[in-house]
Amino acid sequence: MQGLRGRVLHFWERYEPHIGVGALVFGFILDSFTLNRPDQLLDNVILLTYLTLAGGVILLMTMRASRGSTEGKLAPFLPVVLQFCFGNLSSGLLVLYFRSGTFAQSLLFFLILASLLVGNEFLKSRYAQFRFNVAIYYLLLLCYVELTVPVLLHAIGPLIFLVSGAVSLGVIAAYFWVLLLVARKELTLHIMPTGLLVGLIFVIFNILYFANIIPPVPLAMRDLGVYHSVLKRADNTYLAIYEKAPWYQVWRDTSRTYTIGASRSAFCFSSVFAPTDLSAPIYHKWEYFNPQTKEWEVRAKVSFPISGGRERGYRGFSVKTSLVAGEWRCDVETAQGSLIGRISFTVIETAIVPVLSQKTL
């Protein structure tokens, strides 16, 4: 038994960096399947467990540092546990945030969380530093609160975002108070720079939100396409007529090329997920790329409300008439202009009748 234990420990010590990276990749893949909706109990239990465990580990590490205790049976494992929690929290939140908005619009925010996920492996030596631990912990806490408070209040918008931020500051202030009770000596040395880091994270997060860089969580795009016709049936389904995308464009159903006929019109159909009991207006914004000015011009903007609760999202469509040949796109946005989804297509005029397909939406 001792021989087996020794071989396992030797294997772990030899391949620990590779095992850590592999575990994070596996955790990210697992989170992409297990974390589906921010209003589901299981998803919140998983994320709250990681947050609670990470907070407890930081508390224990701070208490030990305050007492000058660096040895013991738990000492080698505490940074590993914290690393595990931070890695899984960042991957889980990245999965949920990735489902909202477009990659191009939210690239900066994704890079921040993704760099945290990668840095989780390469910055191990800094996990002993109180300020780094608390700063990362607050960033993950803030991301989680901004995701869940709109679910609890059944609303989205700037006011809800500010309320969520206030909640996060209240939680971290209470956490500082607990730390002050159990490790006053250690906290006295770090309270000012740590508080400044927390404030800086809060300010940057607000700047990213009002610049429409943060994805509009908890909304998420389920389906988006441009069709020749969309007809609502009596059974509450939709019959859509469209040009199929080439087989190699596996990421979209409708073709990148749109052939206009006598009607010179197109239908933009979207399905947007919202948590149960959350209602909010969304907009279909039709834009045309003007080759003379080299800019996108808004040609139509249609608003309709969505109601949450449907797993496959709330469905709706808009129609754009008087299409001309050229580059077009249909953006799906919130009332604040945050991009939920975008479909781009090229309108062409030709005498050749396109091959059309139909499907049920």
Side-chain angles (χ1 to χ4, degrees):
M1 193 68 178
Q2 290 294 327
L4 176 62
R5 181 173 179 273
R7 287 194 295 270
V8 170
L9 289 176
H10 175 72
F11 178 84
W12 177 268
E13 291 173 358
R14 183 177 180 181
Y15 297 103
E16 182 181 358
H18 306 291
I19 293 173
V21 173
L24 284 175
V25 172
F26 175 76
F28 182 82
I29 295 173
L30 183 63
D31 286 341
S32 66
F33 287 100
T34 57
L35 300 179
N36 296 310
R37 293 174 50 165
D39 60 343
Q40 285 187 340
L41 178 61
L42 178 60
D43 294 34
N44 284 277
V45 168
I46 292 173
L47 294 175
L48 279 173
T49 299
Y50 289 140
L51 278 171
T52 303
L53 186 57
V57 170
I58 295 174
L59 182 65
L60 187 56
M61 291 174 64
T62 306
M63 290 173 59
R64 292 172 61 84
S66 180
R67 297 169 184 173
S69 175
T70 58
E71 303 295 332
K73 294 182 179 180
L74 292 178
F77 299 102
L78 291 179
V80 176
V81 174
L82 187 60
Q83 177 193 19
F84 171 80
C85 293
F86 280 172
N88 283 275
L89 269 171
S90 54
S91 66
L93 290 168
L94 182 61
V95 167
L96 290 175
Y97 272 77
F98 192 84
R99 298 181 190 275
S100 297
T102 64
F103 184 79
Q105 180 80 1
S106 308
L107 179 59
L108 177 59
F109 181 74
F110 292 147
L111 287 177
I112 292 173
L113 281 182
S115 62
L116 177 61
L117 182 62
V118 175
N120 184 68
E121 277 301 308
F122 296 100
L123 297 176
K124 294 178 183 178
S125 62
R126 300 189 65 187
Y127 277 83
Q129 299 182 15
F130 175 80
R131 282 171 284 182
F132 179 78
N133 291 339
V134 175
I136 297 301
Y137 183 71
Y138 176 69
L139 174 61
L140 294 170
L141 171 67
L142 180 58
C143 289
Y144 174 73
V145 171
E146 294 290 358
L147 182 70
T148 54
V149 167
V151 175
L152 296 175
L153 298 182
H154 311 304
I156 60 172
L159 179 60
I160 302 301
F161 180 85
L162 294 175
V163 169
S164 303
V167 170
S168 73
L169 291 176
V171 173
I172 200 66
Y175 186 65
F176 277 154
W177 179 75
V178 174
L179 284 170
L180 190 62
L181 291 178
V182 300
R184 179 178 294 272
K185 178 181 177 181
E186 186 72 10
L187 193 64
T188 302
L189 298 174
H190 301 286
I191 184 65
M192 183 62 69
T194 305
L196 290 176
L197 278 175
V198 167
L200 180 63
I201 291 171
F202 178 78
V203 170
I204 292 175
F205 210 84
N206 277 266
I207 292 174
L208 294 178
Y209 173 80
F210 288 102
N212 290 328
I213 293 175
I214 294 179
V217 291
L219 303 181
M221 184 62 65
R222 290 287 193 256
D223 188 21
L224 180 61
V226 174
Y227 300 90
H228 283 264
S229 175
V230 175
L231 177 64
K232 188 173 183 179
R233 292 166 165 167
D235 60 356
N236 207 33
T237 62
Y238 294 83
L239 176 65
I241 308 298
Y242 66 107
E243 297 175 58
K244 274 188 176 182
W247 64 269
Y248 52 84
Q249 294 181 359
V250 295
W251 59 90
R252 59 186 296 164
D253 290 333
T254 57
S255 175
R256 182 68 172 74
T257 301
Y258 187 91
T259 307
I260 55 175
S263 65
R264 309 183 73 85
S265 62
F267 292 69
C268 181
F269 180 94
S270 65
S271 182
V272 178
F273 167 79
T276 304
D277 296 329
L278 190 153
S279 298
I282 65 168
Y283 293 81
H284 281 185
K285 185 170 70 175
W286 293 84
E287 293 183 307
Y288 169 73
F289 185 76
N290 190 320
Q292 278 73 44
T293 62
K294 305 296 182 183
E295 293 181 349
W296 288 97
E297 299 177 351
V298 178
R299 293 298 177 89
K301 194 170 183 179
V302 182
S303 170
F304 56 88
I306 61 171
S307 180
R310 187 174 184 269
E311 177 64 32
R312 295 182 61 187
Y314 187 91
R315 298 163 296 173
F317 65 89
S318 62
V319 184
K320 178 66 183 78
T321 58
S322 304
L323 290 177
V324 296
E327 298 296 321
W328 288 81
R329 66 188 186 191
C330 180
D331 291 349
V332 184
E333 299 180 341
T334 65
Q336 289 74 43
S338 297
L339 195 62
I340 307 172
R342 169 178 289 163
I343 184 76
S344 301
F345 57 101
T346 303
V347 173
I348 62 172
E349 295 185 71
T350 176
I352 301 175
V353 178
V355 177
L356 299 179
S357 303
Q358 66 178 42
K359 67 175 181 178
T360 299
L361 299 171

